[in-house]
Amino acid sequence: MLTWMIFTPLIGAALILLMPKKAEAAIKWVALGATVPPLIMAFQLFGSFDRTTPDMQLVQRVAWIPAFNIEYYVGVDGISITMILLTALLSTICIVASWNIDKAVKAYFPLFLLLDTAMMGVFCALDFFLFFVFWEVMLLPMYFLIGIWGGPRREYAAIKFFLYTMVGSVLMLVAMLALYFYNDPHTFDMLELARRAPTYSDNFQRFAWIALFIGFAIKIPAFPFHTWLPDAHVEAPTAISVILAGVLLKMGAYGILRINYAILPVGTLEFAYYFLVVLGVVNIIYGALCAMAQTDYKKLIAYSSISHMGYVMFGMATFTQQGIDGAVLQMFNHGTVTAMLFLLVGVIYDRAHHREINGFGGLASIMPFYTGWTAFAFFAAMGLPGLSAFISEVLVLLGGWRYYPVLTVISAAAVVLTAGYMLWTMQRIYLGPANEKYLDLPDINMREVGMLVPLAIIVIILGVYPKPVLSLIDVSLTHLNETVLSAGQGPVASATGILSAR
Amino acid sequence: MDLANFASLSHSLPALLLAFSVVAVFLLDLVIEKKEWLGDIALLVVAAAIFLVVMQLSSETGTLFHKSIVLDEFGLYFQLLVLLSSFATIWMSLGSREVRRLNQGEYWAILLAATLGMAYMASANNLLMAYLSLEFVSLTSYVLAGYSLHSRRSGEASLKYLIYGGVASGAMIYGMSWIYGLAGSLEFHAIQQALAGLDASGQLALYVALILTVAGLGFKISAFPFHMWAPDVYQGAPVPVAAFLAVGSKTAAFALMIRFFLTALAQPGGGGTYEIVGGVRWDHLLLVLSALTMTYGNLAALNQQANVKRLLAYSGIAHAGYALMGLVVLTDDGLRAMIFYLTVYYLMNIGAFLVVMMVANSTGREDLASFRGLAWRGGALPAIAMAVFMFSLTGLPPLAGFIGKFHLFAAVVKEEFYILALIGVANSVVSLFYYAKIVRTMFLDQPEGGEGVVEVDMHNGLLLGLLTIGTIVLGLFWGPLFDFADRSARLFVG
């Protein structure tokens, strides 16, 4: 089933390539048709998943290149399923959001579907080589999607995105090869690599950890590797911004959990203690401050993403049940909330053809319905109780409080910053006297609302009752956390005092 | 098995065929009216030679002609690669407006002669044979590079090639004569045995000799700092010839280099490794050469704004550096990674030159500007193919170039040359920048008009399709080819 889920979009892409160029509407429907089955399968997975075991489920293994012991090896645990749900959901929504694409339709949708396949693949892969291939495959469509269908500075943004990610990937490649050869018999099997973790020397873990971390941190994006993100976001078309913020950023955090945490626990403890946690807090504060300084609506949302991803890093680095659960929940919640925000920016951009925050004003009286939706999304992003982001942020802070009280207070204070820039934006765009120029803007239409509704429902449900997702990730994460902490019995960890701090 | 002259002939059918056909084409050129037919004949000859080489695979290994030629899978593999390059070059030439305009019969004969020389380079087993075959290839290449008689650039390229080539070959034969002096033999295996007990002063002499020899070989693979000719020559030569030099002659030179170093200067050390004989650490020399070559090639390519052929020349320099990594590690892993890489390099580079030729056919230009908006002006297929080759050259999965680099890096990391691996991957990132520039020009820039529509005819399209599909398929299923490369990585010694 996982294989079908991964490759259905690719089949759709192949179908589109066979269709005549002129049949634009048909192409769009085929693209939609290729993203819906994975969504249904993801929901089935969500329902049928055995939540009591941390083991991988629905595992499928086929030898791919036997000479190098490379396998097509996929399987899912709670963390993967959460991400797969997010991917499947956002992909479908983004196809709808791309409905107004009219330039080179026959190229856009296959590329998008290829991207979808790559994202699904990353979250399902259990073979490191396969993971790497999917990870890299994602780059190519992204480059074209930003570079061809993006805004005025699209070329610069596309190549910058490409180069940054490539730097990370090649470091990942070297670390991957080092892991492969370090083990005897050589293997790319991520579970096997994790099982052998106790045999790795401390220095090896340190180097491999850093190489892998840089690769993933660029994707998150962690300060100071974040500069590609605002550019990419601003230039990308709406649907691609949604995918970028909603799914791609999560891959970085996912990679750290799946690979750094599981395979290199000693390195994880050592660096998380000093490093990851600080980076997380820096991201939270720095992202919020940058967001406050923006006058471009989309850039503001982009920086707020950086800020919100900081909670993910902070939560992961606390090694407490709440913290790490909160981190993964935040990954999911940020995906839905930020998707709404980008979709809403897209709505206004489609109508006014600019995103200058100061160029609007008083939209509330012109587009009341739209303003209501924006207010909802803003409140969700601010972490208002009752909406999903609140739960995950609180969990992260609760987890952080036990070991990092000072940093937790700082992070909690950033919530005020977030509320500050969000409300200020609200005021500048939607309140006050209406701008004469935009008096005849049409309100949000049914297609656009249709994209927002499912997201809003999820935000509300998870805000009140997060258990469906928490129960999904809890067992997997507890297991992961314990693996990491138990590796900390070694000399390095005790020397750094990590365990005594627990 | 060591065969005397007459018995050897029966094992040299491909070479004999090529040699006869060279003469035949020259003669036919005098009588035949339609010169294009000569091209078709050349194509058939090469195809037949390919068939004959395939027939020889997995036959007995041994030496021919009093140990001057080796018959082993390694040599045959590279002969195949050379012949395939030659086949693609002739195919390209037949579809090249530039070559068609020259319309001269001896072009085909010289191509065949160069192929013959390259095939001998792949199997040479003593210094004299090595030198002769290399010079044979050089001389024919000089002519081919200068083939566009009316183009000043072409003439300049040829002259530059000749002068640099002359110096390099002088240095090389001087170095080889030192080796002969030290070892008392021309034959690789005998050299290896003679060098085993070299004393300190002898080692110094050997060091000098090796540097001189590497100059000659480095020239052929366009390794830094012997690379200067490549950009000018590629730019001046007709596109198919540039492709031939970039792929065929480079591959053959790598074959010769591998055999020279691993059979004359090293011996199998067990467990898939090689041990150096003679006490000169030439692997360090090659390590430095590899790091410098890839770094220089990539940095220089970054500055290439105008001409795509020039850019490909610098990229070719960089790739010589990557491939050398496989020799540095002195293992079977490295060797087969290198063989595999050169095979993949063949697909990507011939493909890239083919697209350049298709653009040149339609627009008469080879500069970057002529690629502007290629995807949107009828050339969607060549543009997509070019993007595949460019990303493959960068080393992005799931394309063949990635697998090639993957195996090279794997071999390097396995022997714990982490620094070299990091230099390699850093270079891959740099290279992305200029390869993506071409892709960007084709897809992201809009045509300004005046670039002309690029047509895809059946003839060129067929080859392009094959190369593109090969590049993609080998990125996903490379097992069989890798096994083939693995089998061929065993050199016959003795």
Side-chain angles (χ1 to χ4, degrees), chain A residues 25-38:
Chain A
I27 286 174
K28 287 171 185 171
W29 282 108
V30 170
L32 188 64
T35 53
V36 170

Side-chain angles (χ1 to χ4, degrees), chain B residues 289-464:
Chain B
L289 199 67
S290 159
L292 287 178
T293 301
M294 60 182 141
T295 310
Y296 173 84
N298 277 318
L299 293 182
L302 278 184
N303 286 329
Q304 281 311 310
Q305 299 297 336
N307 190 295
V308 179
K309 259 155 83 189
R310 247 185 124 75
L311 195 146
L312 287 176
Y314 283 111
S315 118
I317 294 171
H319 283 274
Y322 297 130
L324 267 179
M325 291 197 298
L327 194 49
V328 170
V329 294
L330 288 173
T331 58
D332 273 342
D333 284 337
L335 184 54
R336 67 181 172 192
M338 207 169 165
I339 297 175
F340 184 82
Y341 192 73
L342 289 168
T343 316
V344 171
Y345 177 79
Y346 160 81
L347 291 174
M348 304 183 291
N349 246 39
I350 295 270
F353 276 108
L354 179 60
V355 176
V356 173
M357 190 187 86
M358 288 165 93
V359 171
N361 268 354
S362 304
T363 62
R365 288 156 53 190
E366 293 151 359
D367 54 342
L368 200 57
S370 63
F371 280 75
R372 201 182 291 131
L374 182 62
W376 316 110
R377 52 184 166 101
L381 242 52
I384 291 170
M386 189 70 165
V388 169
F389 299 135
M390 292 296 113
F391 287 133
S392 181
L393 283 165
T394 313
L396 282 178
L399 302 169
F402 165 69
I403 306 302
K405 275 191 186 164
F406 171 78
H407 284 306
L408 279 174
F409 290 141
V412 171
V413 169
K414 189 177 181 190
E415 298 305 308
E416 301 184 351
F417 286 91
Y418 291 117
I419 302 293
L420 186 62
L422 282 177
I423 294 176
V425 295
N427 268 297
S428 291
V429 177
V430 174
S431 73
L432 170 65
F433 198 78
Y434 61 84
Y435 289 128
K437 189 162 71 182
I438 297 182
V439 176
R440 195 182 69 194
T441 313
M442 292 187 306
F443 285 91
L444 309 193
D445 290 356
Q446 292 302 318
E448 287 176 351
E451 288 103 346
V453 174
V454 171
E455 292 148 21
V456 184
D457 54 17
M458 271 293 286
H459 180 83
N460 291 330
L462 185 64
L463 183 60
L464 186 69

Side-chain angles (χ1 to χ4, degrees), chain B residues 142-198:
Chain B
Y142 303 148
V143 181
L144 287 173
Y147 217 82
S148 301
L149 282 181
H150 309 293
S151 151
R152 270 195 64 198
R153 275 210 165 278
S154 194
E156 189 188 321
S158 179
L159 188 64
K160 218 167 207 167
Y161 199 13
L162 177 69
I163 292 170
Y164 281 131
V167 174
S169 108
M172 186 174 75
I173 197 163
Y174 189 50
M176 284 178 166
S177 64
W178 280 45
I179 295 175
Y180 174 68
L182 286 165
S185 172
L186 289 170
E187 193 251 315
F188 287 172
H189 184 57
I191 293 175
Q192 181 216 85
Q193 302 200 311
L195 290 181
L198 211 59

Side-chain angles (χ1 to χ4, degrees), chain A residues 64 68 136 148 155 163 181, chain B residues 396-397 407 410 433 444-445 476:
Chain A
W64 181 13
F68 256 65
E136 293 283 287
I148 299 179
E155 288 180 23
L163 279 174
F181 285 115
Chain B
L396 282 178
H407 284 306
F433 198 78
L444 309 193
D445 290 356
L476 294 169

